[in-house]
Amino acid sequence: MHRPRLPLPRGPLSEELLDALPVGTDFRATLAAAPSATGDDAALALWVLHELHYRGFAGVDDALEWEPTLVRVRTLLERDLETRLRARCTPPEGRPFVADVLGWIDDQEGVSLARHVHHDADRDQVLDLLRARSLYHLKESDPVSWLVPRLGVPAKAALMELQYDEYGDGDPNRLHHHLFALGMAACGLEPAYDAHVDVAPAEALEQNNALTLFGLHRRLRGAALGHLAAFEATSSLPSRRMVHGLERLGFPDELVAYYAEHVEADAIHEQLAVRTICGALLAEEPELEGDLWFGAFTCLDLEDRFARAMLQRWGVEERAA
Amino acid sequence: MSYDHPDVILCPGGPMLLRGRHTVEDADGVPHETTRPVTAVCRCSRSASYPWCDDTHKVLPPKLRPA
Ligand code: FES
């Protein structure tokens, strides 16, 4: 299996961490730098620490995944991230999640990158977007798989019904993150998720960090499933826009196929996520309803921030979805 | 303990979820095979991927959405 390379540092903490990981013996300076880390630097450090739980890095000992000092650093960064996400979260009061979340999502007016790609984006902007999205799309669904052993029987069966489709229904050629890799390769982009980390904005790192945070912490299983519901519910129509935009710009069929697959798949998955998965979770653990809203809100919030960051770096004015 | 596990789920304002392998015949009599464990069958008749749902129902005025 491909072993990702370490990215370039973005500040004092990530510098300490990326120097220390290949040596693998002493992380005291990394720990000392953690409490004051912010912005790009903190986001990159947490992304790197999370990656130790997915595929690790070339030249880094696999045993460091559970190195106690690094786990402490990870915990500090995760606490800070969760605090910021919760502070921004203003979900609707007193609305039942299963009945209302899809309608609530439709009413939100976040910035839509898919709309920009549909009508206005140029080729370089789309390539830039694909690079930044590759961090997530090349491990699509993996953060959600951490949840499986933490759910009760009906929610677990329901989640597996959805994940099975995400992972290609048993056919590796239909596995979603593999479809994205094929699409990238057809555009001449390296289909490896270490290849584009250095050009991804902090907002993209943070989207991934939040997903992994929700996936790795059992207490946040409600947030993880709320995030899943919102993610699926904001995929089908935007994927159709991506298809039109990519066709307008003459992008290869393999990439178009990835988005076309999501038009149909996510029209199913959003219903499964809300009704069968979150519904089953709430039937057994009604106290998690607040965290379902937290996860859903966070999904839209982080996508909106990512979209604004991308438009800003392209010098494009914002337009609502 | 046993749990409800229906073959068909009607989603308010949206598609019909259909579990398992089936052949769905569209309005012109053309058969379409399902290929996934669960399929969303369009109930608003306006999907560009008819007979499968493509979320077009979400952009319809409420009175044109399926019950
Ligand atoms: S029911 Fe979804 S597009 Fe018709």
Side-chain angles (χ1 to χ4, degrees), chain A residues 267, chain B residues 13-16 41-48 52-58 60 66:
Chain B
M16 171 179 97
V41 181
C42 174
R43 293 199 297 149
C44 73
S45 313
R46 285 172 173 80
S47 170
W52 314 133
C53 167
D54 71 349
D55 259 4
T56 297
H57 63 265
K58 285 186 173 179
L60 298 177

Side-chain angles (χ1 to χ4, degrees), chain A residues 102 106 153-154 161 164-165 169 174 176 233 236-237 240 261 263-268 270-272 275-276 284, chain B residues 3 5 9 11-12 14-15 17 19 35-40 47-49 52-59 65:
Chain A
L102 291 177
D106 287 346
V153 168
E161 190 170 52
Y164 186 64
D165 203 32
D169 303 317
R174 290 179 58 184
H176 284 184
S236 180
L237 292 173
R240 175 76 77 195
E261 160 66 11
V263 172
E264 212 179 275
D266 291 346
I268 306 164
E270 69 178 323
Q271 301 292 349
L272 292 177
R275 287 173 215 293
T276 65
E284 289 199 327
Chain B
Y3 299 95
H5 191 62
I9 300 172
C11 305
L17 298 181
R19 286 195 164 106
T35 59
R36 304 167 187 277
V38 185
T39 306
S47 170
S49 311
W52 314 133
C53 167
D54 71 349
D55 259 4
T56 297
H57 63 265
K58 285 186 173 179
V59 296
R65 294 185 199 169

Side-chain angles (χ1 to χ4, degrees), chain A residues 6 10 87 114 148 249-250:
Chain A
L6 288 168
R10 299 192 187 188
V148 177
L249 292 163

